[in-house]
PDB file of all heavy atoms in Angstrom:
ATOM      1  N   LYS A  68     101.679  23.220   5.786  1.00  0.00           N
ATOM      2  CA  LYS A  68     103.099  23.497   5.553  1.00  0.00           C
ATOM      3  C   LYS A  68     103.487  24.873   6.099  1.00  0.00           C
ATOM      4  O   LYS A  68     104.505  25.019   6.790  1.00  0.00           O
ATOM      5  CB  LYS A  68     103.392  23.413   4.054  1.00  0.00           C
ATOM      6  CG  LYS A  68     104.847  23.684   3.699  1.00  0.00           C
ATOM      7  CD  LYS A  68     105.041  23.672   2.188  1.00  0.00           C
ATOM      8  CE  LYS A  68     106.474  24.065   1.814  1.00  0.00           C
ATOM      9  NZ  LYS A  68     106.653  24.102   0.350  1.00  0.00           N
ATOM     10  N   GLU A  69     102.653  25.884   5.822  1.00  0.00           N
ATOM     11  CA  GLU A  69     102.932  27.232   6.320  1.00  0.00           C
ATOM     12  C   GLU A  69     102.892  27.270   7.840  1.00  0.00           C
ATOM     13  O   GLU A  69     103.715  27.941   8.484  1.00  0.00           O
ATOM     14  CB  GLU A  69     101.914  28.212   5.734  1.00  0.00           C
ATOM     15  CG  GLU A  69     102.083  28.428   4.230  1.00  0.00           C
ATOM     16  CD  GLU A  69     100.943  29.247   3.637  1.00  0.00           C
ATOM     17  OE1 GLU A  69     100.033  29.643   4.409  1.00  0.00           O
ATOM     18  OE2 GLU A  69     100.963  29.489   2.416  1.00  0.00           O
ATOM     19  N   LEU A  70     101.929  26.559   8.433  1.00  0.00           N
ATOM     20  CA  LEU A  70     101.834  26.505   9.890  1.00  0.00           C
ATOM     21  C   LEU A  70     103.062  25.840  10.502  1.00  0.00           C
ATOM     22  O   LEU A  70     103.593  26.297  11.523  1.00  0.00           O
ATOM     23  CB  LEU A  70     100.560  25.758  10.293  1.00  0.00           C
ATOM     24  CG  LEU A  70     100.318  25.588  11.795  1.00  0.00           C
ATOM     25  CD1 LEU A  70     100.147  26.947  12.475  1.00  0.00           C
ATOM     26  CD2 LEU A  70      99.099  24.707  12.046  1.00  0.00           C
ATOM     27  N   THR A  71     103.518  24.756   9.867  1.00  0.00           N
ATOM     28  CA  THR A  71     104.710  24.064  10.375  1.00  0.00           C
ATOM     29  C   THR A  71     105.936  24.977  10.338  1.00  0.00           C
ATOM     30  O   THR A  71     106.727  25.005  11.279  1.00  0.00           O
ATOM     31  CB  THR A  71     104.974  22.801   9.529  1.00  0.00           C
ATOM     32  OG1 THR A  71     103.800  21.980   9.523  1.00  0.00           O
ATOM     33  CG2 THR A  71     106.133  22.006  10.098  1.00  0.00           C
ATOM     34  N   ILE A  72     106.084  25.737   9.257  1.00  0.00           N
ATOM     35  CA  ILE A  72     107.217  26.671   9.149  1.00  0.00           C
ATOM     36  C   ILE A  72     107.140  27.745  10.226  1.00  0.00           C
ATOM     37  O   ILE A  72     108.141  28.092  10.877  1.00  0.00           O
ATOM     38  CB  ILE A  72     107.249  27.300   7.744  1.00  0.00           C
ATOM     39  CG1 ILE A  72     107.560  26.226   6.697  1.00  0.00           C
ATOM     40  CG2 ILE A  72     108.275  28.424   7.672  1.00  0.00           C
ATOM     41  CD1 ILE A  72     107.382  26.688   5.268  1.00  0.00           C
ATOM     42  N   LYS A  73     105.936  28.272  10.473  1.00  0.00           N
ATOM     43  CA  LYS A  73     105.771  29.295  11.509  1.00  0.00           C
ATOM     44  C   LYS A  73     106.086  28.740  12.894  1.00  0.00           C
ATOM     45  O   LYS A  73     106.730  29.408  13.720  1.00  0.00           O
ATOM     46  CB  LYS A  73     104.338  29.844  11.477  1.00  0.00           C
ATOM     47  CG  LYS A  73     104.052  30.720  10.267  1.00  0.00           C
ATOM     48  CD  LYS A  73     102.611  31.209  10.287  1.00  0.00           C
ATOM     49  CE  LYS A  73     102.308  32.070   9.073  1.00  0.00           C
ATOM     50  NZ  LYS A  73     100.892  32.516   9.043  1.00  0.00           N
ATOM     51  N   LEU A  74     105.623  27.515  13.156  1.00  0.00           N
ATOM     52  CA  LEU A  74     105.912  26.895  14.461  1.00  0.00           C
ATOM     53  C   LEU A  74     107.402  26.633  14.623  1.00  0.00           C
ATOM     54  O   LEU A  74     107.946  26.750  15.730  1.00  0.00           O
ATOM     55  CB  LEU A  74     105.113  25.594  14.601  1.00  0.00           C
ATOM     56  CG  LEU A  74     103.587  25.731  14.741  1.00  0.00           C
ATOM     57  CD1 LEU A  74     102.935  24.358  14.762  1.00  0.00           C
ATOM     58  CD2 LEU A  74     103.231  26.513  16.002  1.00  0.00           C
ATOM     59  N   TRP A  75     108.069  26.264  13.537  1.00  0.00           N
ATOM     60  CA  TRP A  75     109.510  26.012  13.608  1.00  0.00           C
ATOM     61  C   TRP A  75     110.276  27.301  13.935  1.00  0.00           C
ATOM     62  O   TRP A  75     111.233  27.279  14.707  1.00  0.00           O
ATOM     63  CB  TRP A  75     109.999  25.414  12.303  1.00  0.00           C
ATOM     64  CG  TRP A  75     111.490  25.225  12.260  1.00  0.00           C
ATOM     65  CD1 TRP A  75     112.396  25.941  11.541  1.00  0.00           C
ATOM     66  CD2 TRP A  75     112.240  24.254  12.994  1.00  0.00           C
ATOM     67  NE1 TRP A  75     113.668  25.490  11.765  1.00  0.00           N
ATOM     68  CE2 TRP A  75     113.612  24.447  12.669  1.00  0.00           C
ATOM     69  CE3 TRP A  75     111.905  23.255  13.897  1.00  0.00           C
ATOM     70  CZ2 TRP A  75     114.626  23.679  13.214  1.00  0.00           C
ATOM     71  CZ3 TRP A  75     112.918  22.481  14.438  1.00  0.00           C
ATOM     72  CH2 TRP A  75     114.257  22.692  14.093  1.00  0.00           C
ATOM     73  N   HIS A  76     109.844  28.405  13.370  1.00  0.00           N
ATOM     74  CA  HIS A  76     110.491  29.685  13.677  1.00  0.00           C
ATOM     75  C   HIS A  76     110.228  30.128  15.114  1.00  0.00           C
ATOM     76  O   HIS A  76     111.007  30.913  15.665  1.00  0.00           O
ATOM     77  CB  HIS A  76     110.001  30.771  12.708  1.00  0.00           C
ATOM     78  CG  HIS A  76     110.505  30.592  11.309  1.00  0.00           C
ATOM     79  ND1 HIS A  76     111.832  30.340  11.021  1.00  0.00           N
ATOM     80  CD2 HIS A  76     109.860  30.617  10.107  1.00  0.00           C
ATOM     81  CE1 HIS A  76     111.991  30.230   9.711  1.00  0.00           C
ATOM     82  NE2 HIS A  76     110.806  30.392   9.129  1.00  0.00           N
ATOM     83  N   ARG A  77     109.145  29.624  15.710  1.00  0.00           N
ATOM     84  CA  ARG A  77     108.824  29.953  17.104  1.00  0.00           C
ATOM     85  C   ARG A  77     108.956  28.711  17.986  1.00  0.00           C
ATOM     86  O   ARG A  77     108.152  28.475  18.883  1.00  0.00           O
ATOM     87  CB  ARG A  77     107.403  30.514  17.190  1.00  0.00           C
ATOM     88  CG  ARG A  77     107.230  31.837  16.459  1.00  0.00           C
ATOM     89  CD  ARG A  77     105.755  32.207  16.357  1.00  0.00           C
ATOM     90  NE  ARG A  77     105.561  33.500  15.726  1.00  0.00           N
ATOM     91  CZ  ARG A  77     105.573  33.715  14.418  1.00  0.00           C
ATOM     92  NH1 ARG A  77     105.799  32.697  13.585  1.00  0.00           N
ATOM     93  NH2 ARG A  77     105.399  34.921  13.921  1.00  0.00           N
ATOM     94  N   ARG A  78     109.987  27.926  17.718  1.00  0.00           N
ATOM     95  CA  ARG A  78     110.110  26.637  18.395  1.00  0.00           C
ATOM     96  C   ARG A  78     110.339  26.765  19.893  1.00  0.00           C
ATOM     97  O   ARG A  78     109.964  25.871  20.656  1.00  0.00           O
ATOM     98  CB  ARG A  78     111.228  25.814  17.760  1.00  0.00           C
ATOM     99  CG  ARG A  78     112.567  26.491  17.599  1.00  0.00           C
ATOM    100  CD  ARG A  78     113.522  25.618  16.801  1.00  0.00           C
ATOM    101  NE  ARG A  78     114.800  26.254  16.537  1.00  0.00           N
ATOM    102  CZ  ARG A  78     115.030  27.061  15.497  1.00  0.00           C
ATOM    103  NH1 ARG A  78     114.040  27.331  14.647  1.00  0.00           N
ATOM    104  NH2 ARG A  78     116.225  27.605  15.304  1.00  0.00           N
ATOM    105  N   ARG A  79     110.942  27.865  20.354  1.00  0.00           N
ATOM    106  CA  ARG A  79     111.128  28.040  21.806  1.00  0.00           C
ATOM    107  C   ARG A  79     109.784  28.165  22.508  1.00  0.00           C
ATOM    108  O   ARG A  79     109.568  27.567  23.572  1.00  0.00           O
ATOM    109  CB  ARG A  79     111.987  29.278  22.075  1.00  0.00           C
ATOM    110  CG  ARG A  79     113.435  29.114  21.643  1.00  0.00           C
ATOM    111  CD  ARG A  79     114.253  30.328  22.013  1.00  0.00           C
ATOM    112  NE  ARG A  79     115.653  30.176  21.619  1.00  0.00           N
ATOM    113  CZ  ARG A  79     116.579  31.105  21.816  1.00  0.00           C
ATOM    114  NH1 ARG A  79     116.256  32.263  22.397  1.00  0.00           N
ATOM    115  NH2 ARG A  79     117.837  30.886  21.440  1.00  0.00           N
ATOM    116  N   ILE A  80     108.893  28.948  21.923  1.00  0.00           N
ATOM    117  CA  ILE A  80     107.565  29.092  22.515  1.00  0.00           C
ATOM    118  C   ILE A  80     106.810  27.769  22.471  1.00  0.00           C
ATOM    119  O   ILE A  80     106.137  27.380  23.441  1.00  0.00           O
ATOM    120  CB  ILE A  80     106.769  30.187  21.766  1.00  0.00           C
ATOM    121  CG1 ILE A  80     107.488  31.533  21.885  1.00  0.00           C
ATOM    122  CG2 ILE A  80     105.347  30.285  22.291  1.00  0.00           C
ATOM    123  CD1 ILE A  80     106.868  32.636  21.065  1.00  0.00           C
ATOM    124  N   VAL A  81     106.965  27.033  21.362  1.00  0.00           N
ATOM    125  CA  VAL A  81     106.282  25.740  21.218  1.00  0.00           C
ATOM    126  C   VAL A  81     106.784  24.754  22.261  1.00  0.00           C
ATOM    127  O   VAL A  81     105.990  24.054  22.909  1.00  0.00           O
ATOM    128  CB  VAL A  81     106.491  25.178  19.797  1.00  0.00           C
ATOM    129  CG1 VAL A  81     105.922  23.771  19.684  1.00  0.00           C
ATOM    130  CG2 VAL A  81     105.836  26.084  18.763  1.00  0.00           C
ATOM    131  N   VAL A  82     108.094  24.692  22.468  1.00  0.00           N
ATOM    132  CA  VAL A  82     108.675  23.779  23.477  1.00  0.00           C
ATOM    133  C   VAL A  82     108.189  24.154  24.869  1.00  0.00           C
ATOM    134  O   VAL A  82     107.846  23.283  25.684  1.00  0.00           O
ATOM    135  CB  VAL A  82     110.209  23.799  23.386  1.00  0.00           C
ATOM    136  CG1 VAL A  82     110.822  23.041  24.562  1.00  0.00           C
ATOM    137  CG2 VAL A  82     110.677  23.179  22.068  1.00  0.00           C
ATOM    138  N   SER A  83     108.140  25.460  25.168  1.00  0.00           N
ATOM    139  CA  SER A  83     107.658  25.905  26.481  1.00  0.00           C
ATOM    140  C   SER A  83     106.211  25.499  26.709  1.00  0.00           C
ATOM    141  O   SER A  83     105.839  25.029  27.795  1.00  0.00           O
ATOM    142  CB  SER A  83     107.794  27.427  26.602  1.00  0.00           C
ATOM    143  OG  SER A  83     109.134  27.826  26.418  1.00  0.00           O
ATOM    144  N   LEU A  84     105.376  25.651  25.674  1.00  0.00           N
ATOM    145  CA  LEU A  84     103.975  25.262  25.792  1.00  0.00           C
ATOM    146  C   LEU A  84     103.825  23.749  25.953  1.00  0.00           C
ATOM    147  O   LEU A  84     102.968  23.282  26.712  1.00  0.00           O
ATOM    148  CB  LEU A  84     103.200  25.739  24.569  1.00  0.00           C
ATOM    149  CG  LEU A  84     102.988  27.259  24.445  1.00  0.00           C
ATOM    150  CD1 LEU A  84     102.332  27.602  23.106  1.00  0.00           C
ATOM    151  CD2 LEU A  84     102.136  27.784  25.594  1.00  0.00           C
ATOM    152  N   LEU A  85     104.661  22.984  25.263  1.00  0.00           N
ATOM    153  CA  LEU A  85     104.607  21.524  25.399  1.00  0.00           C
ATOM    154  C   LEU A  85     105.017  21.087  26.804  1.00  0.00           C
ATOM    155  O   LEU A  85     104.415  20.166  27.378  1.00  0.00           O
ATOM    156  CB  LEU A  85     105.506  20.863  24.356  1.00  0.00           C
ATOM    157  CG  LEU A  85     105.010  20.924  22.903  1.00  0.00           C
ATOM    158  CD1 LEU A  85     106.064  20.369  21.955  1.00  0.00           C
ATOM    159  CD2 LEU A  85     103.699  20.160  22.750  1.00  0.00           C
ATOM    160  N   LEU A  86     106.040  21.735  27.370  1.00  0.00           N
ATOM    161  CA  LEU A  86     106.445  21.421  28.746  1.00  0.00           C
ATOM    162  C   LEU A  86     105.342  21.759  29.741  1.00  0.00           C
ATOM    163  O   LEU A  86     105.070  20.998  30.675  1.00  0.00           O
ATOM    164  CB  LEU A  86     107.728  22.191  29.095  1.00  0.00           C
ATOM    165  CG  LEU A  86     109.009  21.708  28.403  1.00  0.00           C
ATOM    166  CD1 LEU A  86     110.161  22.642  28.717  1.00  0.00           C
ATOM    167  CD2 LEU A  86     109.350  20.281  28.842  1.00  0.00           C
ATOM    168  N   LEU A  87     104.700  22.904  29.530  1.00  0.00           N
ATOM    169  CA  LEU A  87     103.584  23.282  30.405  1.00  0.00           C
ATOM    170  C   LEU A  87     102.432  22.292  30.288  1.00  0.00           C
ATOM    171  O   LEU A  87     101.824  21.899  31.306  1.00  0.00           O
ATOM    172  CB  LEU A  87     103.107  24.693  30.034  1.00  0.00           C
ATOM    173  CG  LEU A  87     101.924  25.252  30.826  1.00  0.00           C
ATOM    174  CD1 LEU A  87     102.265  25.366  32.307  1.00  0.00           C
ATOM    175  CD2 LEU A  87     101.488  26.591  30.271  1.00  0.00           C
ATOM    176  N   LEU A  88     102.151  21.841  29.056  1.00  0.00           N
ATOM    177  CA  LEU A  88     101.101  20.850  28.845  1.00  0.00           C
ATOM    178  C   LEU A  88     101.443  19.522  29.522  1.00  0.00           C
ATOM    179  O   LEU A  88     100.566  18.863  30.108  1.00  0.00           O
ATOM    180  CB  LEU A  88     100.894  20.642  27.342  1.00  0.00           C
ATOM    181  CG  LEU A  88      99.809  19.651  26.935  1.00  0.00           C
ATOM    182  CD1 LEU A  88      98.439  20.125  27.395  1.00  0.00           C
ATOM    183  CD2 LEU A  88      99.809  19.453  25.411  1.00  0.00           C
ATOM    184  N   ALA A  89     102.731  19.139  29.481  1.00  0.00           N
ATOM    185  CA  ALA A  89     103.161  17.900  30.147  1.00  0.00           C
ATOM    186  C   ALA A  89     102.971  17.997  31.662  1.00  0.00           C
ATOM    187  O   ALA A  89     102.519  17.039  32.309  1.00  0.00           O
ATOM    188  CB  ALA A  89     104.618  17.615  29.810  1.00  0.00           C
ATOM    189  N   LEU A  90     103.297  19.169  32.238  1.00  0.00           N
ATOM    190  CA  LEU A  90     103.113  19.362  33.687  1.00  0.00           C
ATOM    191  C   LEU A  90     101.639  19.303  34.071  1.00  0.00           C
ATOM    192  O   LEU A  90     101.266  18.681  35.071  1.00  0.00           O
ATOM    193  CB  LEU A  90     103.714  20.707  34.102  1.00  0.00           C
ATOM    194  CG  LEU A  90     105.253  20.790  34.092  1.00  0.00           C
ATOM    195  CD1 LEU A  90     105.703  22.223  34.366  1.00  0.00           C
ATOM    196  CD2 LEU A  90     105.842  19.850  35.142  1.00  0.00           C
ATOM    197  N   LEU A  91     100.796  19.951  33.263  1.00  0.00           N
ATOM    198  CA  LEU A  91      99.356  19.937  33.550  1.00  0.00           C
ATOM    199  C   LEU A  91      98.773  18.532  33.404  1.00  0.00           C
ATOM    200  O   LEU A  91      97.905  18.126  34.195  1.00  0.00           O
ATOM    201  CB  LEU A  91      98.633  20.904  32.606  1.00  0.00           C
ATOM    202  CG  LEU A  91      98.912  22.396  32.825  1.00  0.00           C
ATOM    203  CD1 LEU A  91      98.259  23.225  31.726  1.00  0.00           C
ATOM    204  CD2 LEU A  91      98.415  22.849  34.187  1.00  0.00           C
TER     205      LEU A  91
END
Side-chain angles (χ1 to χ4, degrees):
K68 180 184 175 182
E69 291 172 0
L70 179 63
T71 305
I72 294 170
K73 289 179 181 178
L74 291 176
W75 176 252
H76 290 312
R77 295 169 177 81
R78 51 187 176 274
R79 291 184 179 179
I80 299 174
V81 174
V82 171
S83 302
L84 290 174
L85 288 174
L86 289 174
L87 179 62
L88 181 63
L90 289 173
L91 291 174

